[in-house]
Amino acid sequence: MSEILTAAQSLSSSERAQLIATLWDSVSPTDWVPPDSQWIAEANRRSDAYDAGEMTGSPWVEVRERARREAGLDG
């Protein structure tokens, strides 16, 4: 397993992103690990804040661009 990880880490950022997507698509939903209670609590807190008008959302295009930039995939 460590050899695979070492090989994956030697890939460029865009190649690693492609690898992640390929691996993710190969995992059956029945094998997904459910989110823990802290994650669910935070998701509920944010949903409640959004519903109450205490926070706003962002369009997917902006979220995706920001995530790619922060991950070093676009620059």
Side-chain angles (χ1 to χ4, degrees):
M1 182 69 130
S2 65
E3 291 176 21
I4 295 170
L5 181 57
T6 300
Q9 289 172 329
S10 71
L11 299 172
S12 69
S13 292
S14 62
E15 291 171 325
R16 287 193 311 272
Q18 291 173 336
L19 176 60
I20 290 167
T22 301
L23 289 172
W24 181 258
D25 289 344
S26 71
V27 176
S28 168
T30 59
D31 292 328
W32 294 351
V33 177
D36 65 26
S37 60
Q38 288 179 318
W39 189 94
I40 293 171
E42 179 64 13
N44 286 332
R45 183 192 69 75
R46 291 182 186 199
S47 178
D48 292 343
Y50 181 83
D51 291 344
E54 298 168 357
M55 65 184 309
T56 60
S58 298
W60 169 241
V61 172
E62 290 177 17
V63 173
R64 183 183 62 221
E65 287 174 3
R66 185 172 55 242
R68 290 184 60 81
R69 194 172 45 252
E70 290 176 6
L73 298 175
D74 288 336

